[in-house]
Every structure is written in structure tokens, then in C-alpha cells.
Amino acid sequence: MRTRAGNVFAKARRRFPLTALVSVCAVFIGVAVSGGASPLPGLELAQAGHWIASPALDLVLFVNGSAKSVDAQVPVAGLEPGSQVVQGPTSGYVIGKSAIVRFGKSDLSVDGTLTPPSGEWPALVEASGGPYLVYREAGQVVRLGSGLTALPAGGPVGAPVATPDGTLWLNRLDSGALCRLAKDSGTVACRDDLGAGHTGGLSIAGDRAVFVDTTTDTIRRVSGDEPGEPVAIGKDLSPAAQIAPADADGRIAVLDREKRQLSLLDAGVLDAGRAPAQPIDVALPDGVYSNPTASASSVVLLDLTRHTVLTYGADGTRRQATAIPPESGTPQLVRGDDKRVYVDGGEGKHVLVVDPDGKVSQVPVTAEKAPVPATSPQPPTQQPPAQQPPVQPDVRADGPKQPPPVRKTDPPVTQQQKPIPPSPPGIPARLVARLQGGDAHVTWGAAADNRAAVTAYHVTWQPSSGAGAGAADLPGTARSTVIRGLRAGITYTVTVVAENSAGRGTPATAKVTGPAIPKPAITVTRGKTGTYEPDPSECSAPDCAKMHVVVKGFAPNTEYHFTPHCGCTYSNEGRSFTTDANGAVTFEAFDFGAVGKQVWVTSDNGVSSARYTWPPD
């Protein structure tokens, strides 16, 4: 479109030096940082390991699932029995009925207490954008992070699941609606997909949320804007059958207590053009069983009658049956973000770790043992042999004295203990990220080397939205780095991990927010002199020139429409321009030549420039 004075374009729019809890082969968590950055678009930070609460010790402890060790502890006084722990990028949360205690994962100290919105025990979900607490009976979702945000779901819900993109999925038990809470959304959105009276549960198959309907014996995909069509699973399920929250190598476990049967359903039936495989059934002996869950490639089930952990392959083959320590209390299954399953004892005294392949390992929980020294242990002290009564010589009346018999003694035994092998480094102490100008200055203390010198620190940073992720590698002597050019108003999660010959430790994290977003402003001055080509009579040099427009403080990467104005006879419909990542844009447009007249520019978000008196060339 042409105007009288220009072209118009269409509007497009560890509170203490880390006290290790170790037995002879303890391993510490570690984290560190580096320089020489290279971008990592779309970087997502997985939450390694699992935190547990031990009311008997008044401690919260970190279980390193890979190393099978307890690597860090946070003292928390007055832990409620039954408390659970959920972690976010930089903080952990001890969840009780009466209080939520927040602690820093980097400095290992308590830094706040929150009040839960309900007196019931919530379901815990660790996911990008969370963590989340789901109060199922109350129908309420709590997002933890910068405080506590309570979001209503509208009614009681089933067991929640989360897809890798951070979306939380729920099914309403009263109406049959399927609900989702997107990573950055403030609303739980529900849609009537199932209808009232349908039973079943949600699960994750690969990276998709699915619903196993035990009323119609079907499975359907629920991720995306529209639900998938239900597909028959080829099996009659009891309405009360329990669904595992994730698949194991493409099979979703379903526990049918009425039939004393564990069934493995083919989640690949949802793939277009693929015939469904028959369900695999595993007969179970009489007993009481927990709801099933899954590691990456194995199904995990608790036999509560025999106090045993059972693991099965995706083909239904039993892989391992492991007794749960009797003093562990009532156990429960927790699926970690590392795709391991943790069997928590109700009293926080033992943890069993189920690896992705179904192998089960026991991790004792104790704070009574002192750290093992780094030097090789000394041989045990040999006790002197017990005193024996003297042997009397043989004295005979009719012959000479016989010498006493020679007493044989065994040589002393010296038993050397095996040296403790190196393990990945510990968590760097006091990780801090501070904003200085437009940069983040990151500092940390040395990570425990754990019997092998720290050779490198690896640093990554991830913005809360948009581009700007990156990584850097620094030598083992480094204690700081600088992240340049933080975007205004954007929060970055900074992660530091240490590395030695035994591998990398678990990351320490901190957050830093870029410079404050400046107040939105538009500035107008005279730009390049020229003649309005479509009609020189309308605007000619030397009086005619473009308006030079500088825009700052607007939303980043957003299109705005700008319109020029004059306290005179002038008409121009304006043009649209898109701001950069910092919310700024500079352009020259809008031919004008009325010397001595005032001009100004407005945007479609209500911002106006100051009035500018047009000067001669």
C-alpha cells in the first residue's frame, strides 16, 4: 500500500565442609566449571540421583544412583515421619504434611519453609519447569521454584505423569477429563476426552503421554492438541488395574490385583501402520503388591507380603528378586529422572537402587561413620600371643633330664586392606553466580578430589526461555569464570561439575538473572536526507529526510507496529519492525520534510516518543 509520504508494509506479526557419609567405598558428588564457551541450543539439565529424608537422623541425604553411595547430607531438624524429598534445578524440598522445607543443593543448607495448601500427602513429580506436588484428593497442583504456586485442577485426579518437555498430565476422576499443565503456564487446562465413568491411568511411552483405559481396554495418545484414537490392547483388564507411570523398552506394565497378574502392554501399538503385539502376562503368587513402575528397560514391583523387590524385563522374564532390609519400614518406589528406580524405606535407613537393566543394589544410610582417609589403611595391630604355662622338663629318677619339647608357633600374619579406588569428585563448595553489568561472574570452591586429582571443571548455562545456552571447559585449577552478555530480564541456570580420572561428579547449580529490562522508550531524530521517490513534490531534499527511530526496553523478539505523527497535515500508516533478543530495534523510515514542525512516533503497545522539532539539513 502507498501513502502520501511513504510505503506501508503489512503488519506481520553443604552448609558445612561436605561431610561424606561413607562406608569403605564411599563416593562423593562433584561439580565444576570451565571457560572457552560454545553454545548448546536446547540444553536441558537432567536431575541426577535421588534425595531421601531420614527422620531418625534429622538429615536429608543424596543417593548417587550411579555410584551406589550417599554423597551429601543436609541437617533438617524435626523431620516428619514419612517425609519425602523432591528436587528442582537449584533447590530441594522436604515435603511433609505440615511444612515444606527448602534447602540449597549447592550450599547444603536450609533456606526457607513453606506452608502446604493441603493436609494430605502429595504425589511428587520432578520435571522441567517444576518440581510439582499433586494433591490428588484436593485436586490441586503446586509448582515449586520461586516460591509456591497453587493451581486448581477442578476436582480429584489420578496419578500424574510428566513428558520430557515439562508438561504435567492429569486425569480427572470425577469427569474423565484429561488435563495438562504446560511448563510455563499458570493454568491447568482440561478437555473432555474420556467421559465420566472411565477408569485407567496415565503413562509415558517414549516422549508421549498415553492413557490406558481399563473400561474400554484401549490405549490412546493424549499428548498434543488433539488426542489420538483409542486402540485395542487385546486384553480384558479389571477396572482397578494399576498402570506404571512409564514404559520399559516400549512395554507398559499393568498390575491386575484381582487376577494376580502383571501384564506388559505394547505401547508401540500407537505407531501408525504397526500391528499390535500381544500383551505379555506374568502370573504372581498370592500377596499384596505395590503399584508398578519402570526403569529404562525393566519393570519394578514390590511384593509387600514377602518384603521383596521384583524386577522383570520387557519380555516378562524375572531378572532379580531382592529382599528389603527389615528395618527399612514400609517401602515405596520412586522413579528418578536418571531412569533408575529408588526403593525408599519408610524410616530412611536403607535405599535400594534399581538400575535401568533391573539390577538391584543396596545403599546403607548412616551418619555414624567418619570419612575414610585418603591414605592407604595401615595393617591391623598384632596382639602378642597369649602367655602359655611353662613346660616342665622331664625328670626321671633312673635317667638324665630330657630337654623340653620344642613348641611350634605360626609366623605373624599381616593382613593388608585393599586401597580405596578413586571416585568422581565432590560438589564444589559455595557456588555463586553474580550479575556485574551485563555479565555473570561465577565462582566456586574446590571440589573434593576423592583420591584422584580434579582435571577439569565443566560449566553450562541455560536461559529460562529462548536462545543463549552455552558451555565452557576450564582446567582443574579454575575457581571462576564469566558468562558474557546475559539477556535483560532472563534468568539463567548455571551448572558446574568437576571431573577426575574416575569421571564427572553430580552438578552444583545456581541461578542469576540478566540486567533489568529498561523502561520502554522511543527516540526520534532526523535521519538520512533524500527525496520521496514515488512523488518528489511531496517531500524533496534538502528538507526531506527519513525519521531515525531508536526503540529500547520492548519485549524481545516481538513485532510491533510504529506510526509517525505530525502537528501538521501529514498521513502515514506506519510500518512493522521486530525487536532483537534485548528488546531493541533501530530503523530509518517515514519521509518527512516540514522544517520547524513537531513529529513523534507511537507504537501499538501504547508507547510514544517525545515530540521532535524537524531541523533543516
Side-chain angles (χ1 to χ4, degrees):
M1 181 185 295
R2 191 185 120 171
T3 66
R4 296 186 62 233
N7 294 327
V8 178
F9 291 84
K11 180 179 181 181
R13 314 230 168 229
R14 270 168 255 201
R15 178 184 221 342
F16 41 81
L18 180 62
T19 301
L21 300 179
V22 294
S23 56
V24 174
C25 32
V27 181
F28 293 83
I29 308 174
V31 179
V33 187
S34 345
S38 58
L40 292 177
L43 176 68
E44 289 288 347
L45 301 174
Q47 301 294 320
H50 173 61
W51 291 88
I52 66 166
S54 177
L57 301 172
D58 271 345
L59 290 174
V60 176
L61 308 116
F62 181 82
V63 179
N64 185 327
S66 176
K68 310 300 183 293
S69 63
V70 174
D71 286 2
Q73 63 183 32
V74 181
V76 181
L79 284 174
E80 293 181 62
S83 293
Q84 292 181 266
V85 187
V86 64
Q87 64 176 327
T90 60
S91 298
Y93 302 85
V94 185
I95 311 302
K97 277 191 173 183
S98 60
I100 299 171
V101 179
R102 183 182 62 221
F103 62 90
K105 290 166 57 178
S106 180
D107 62 8
L108 301 178
S109 64
V110 172
D111 58 17
T113 302
L114 305 170
T115 301
S118 172
E120 66 176 284
W121 290 106
L124 312 184
V125 181
E126 292 178 353
S128 177
Y132 297 99
L133 313 180
V134 179
Y135 294 87
R136 295 178 53 187
E137 295 178 12
Q140 199 164 41
V141 178
V142 167
R143 175 188 279 133
L144 297 171
S146 55
L148 181 153
T149 304
L151 305 169
V157 297
V161 298
T163 43
D165 64 0
T167 302
L168 184 73
W169 290 89
L170 311 158
N171 65 295
R172 285 270 299 275
L173 300 179
D174 52 356
S175 65
L178 293 174
C179 307
R180 64 177 174 178
L181 174 61
K183 175 180 176 180
D184 299 318
S185 175
T187 304
V188 178
C190 299
R191 60 193 186 200
D192 295 327
D193 291 337
L194 303 174
H198 283 250
T199 56
L202 289 160
S203 186
I204 302 297
D207 59 355
R208 303 173 299 182
V210 300
F211 186 81
V212 177
D213 192 326
T214 58
T215 300
T216 59
D217 297 325
T218 58
I219 183 172
R220 68 167 72 187
R221 174 184 53 80
V222 299
S223 299
D225 296 329
E226 295 293 335
E229 291 297 322
V231 178
I233 59 177
K235 183 173 182 61
D236 180 22
L237 296 173
S238 300
Q242 299 297 312
I243 317 301
D247 73 296
D249 280 349
R251 291 274 181 169
I252 295 176
V254 177
L255 175 65
D256 199 327
R257 292 189 177 96
E258 294 181 10
K259 299 180 179 179
R260 300 194 301 278
Q261 193 173 76
L262 181 68
S263 297
L264 305 177
L265 309 182
D266 178 17
V269 71
L270 299 173
D271 297 333
R274 182 181 180 282
Q278 286 297 312
I280 299 172
D281 295 329
V282 178
L284 300 172
D286 289 339
V288 178
Y289 296 90
S290 69
N291 293 353
T293 189
S295 62
S297 59
S298 62
V299 175
V300 186
L301 190 65
L302 288 181
D303 182 342
L304 300 175
T305 300
R306 299 161 188 82
H307 219 56
T308 302
V309 181
L310 305 175
T311 61
Y312 298 88
D315 59 357
T317 302
R318 181 187 285 188
R319 291 184 172 172
Q320 197 166 332
T322 306
I324 301 171
E327 65 271 29
S328 293
T330 302
Q332 55 188 346
L333 297 176
V334 179
R335 188 176 194 267
D337 200 42
D338 55 1
K339 295 189 177 180
R340 291 181 172 86
V341 173
Y342 296 84
V343 186
D344 292 358
E347 298 178 5
K349 294 182 179 179
H350 286 83
V351 177
L352 300 180
V353 180
V354 183
D355 283 328
D357 61 1
K359 181 181 178 182
V360 183
S361 303
Q362 180 177 326
V363 180
V365 176
T366 175
E368 297 174 355
K369 294 184 179 180
V372 176
T375 56
S376 298
Q378 297 298 317
T381 303
Q382 297 298 315
Q383 297 295 328
Q387 294 294 324
Q388 300 292 334
V391 178
Q392 300 297 324
D394 184 12
V395 181
R396 299 183 182 179
D398 58 350
K401 295 178 180 179
Q402 300 296 320
V406 178
R407 187 178 300 278
K408 294 182 179 181
T409 58
D410 294 326
V413 177
T414 301
Q415 183 179 0
Q416 292 282 351
Q417 296 182 5
K418 292 182 179 180
I420 303 170
S423 59
I427 252 178
R430 304 176 302 281
L431 173 63
V432 176
R434 293 187 178 92
L435 181 69
Q436 295 186 20
D439 304 330
H441 288 246
V442 183
T443 60
W444 62 93
D449 61 19
N450 291 340
R451 299 168 297 282
V454 173
T455 55
Y457 286 95
H458 305 282
V459 183
T460 59
W461 53 95
Q462 172 71 33
S464 56
S465 62
D473 298 322
L474 297 175
T477 56
R479 298 293 179 268
S480 65
T481 192
V482 178
I483 302 172
R484 304 287 183 186
L486 270 60
R487 289 160 49 200
I490 299 297
T491 298
Y492 292 74
T493 299
V494 180
T495 302
V496 180
V497 63
E499 182 177 12
N500 64 10
S501 60
R504 295 190 184 189
T506 299
T509 53
K511 287 190 176 183
V512 60
T513 301
I517 299 175
K519 183 179 179 180
I522 303 174
T523 303
V524 178
T525 55
R526 179 184 173 115
K528 182 179 180 181
T529 299
T531 297
Y532 178 51
E533 294 299 336
D535 189 353
S537 65
E538 293 289 340
C539 188
S540 300
D543 294 338
C544 187
K546 300 283 187 185
M547 296 184 192
H548 182 80
V549 182
V550 178
V551 178
K552 293 182 178 180
F554 281 45
N557 304 313
T558 302
E559 183 181 76
Y560 293 93
H561 193 77
F562 299 91
T563 306
H565 306 273
C566 171
C568 60
T569 302
Y570 178 73
S571 175
N572 190 305
E573 294 185 6
R575 287 179 58 182
S576 295
F577 293 90
T578 299
T579 57
D580 61 18
N582 293 315
V585 62
T586 298
F587 58 88
E588 292 202 352
F590 318 137
D591 297 275
F592 189 79
V595 175
K597 298 297 182 179
Q598 289 187 328
V599 295
W600 65 96
V601 171
T602 61
S603 63
D604 56 2
N605 65 343
V607 179
S608 176
S609 72
R611 301 198 174 207
Y612 173 72
T613 301
W614 198 258
D617 186 16

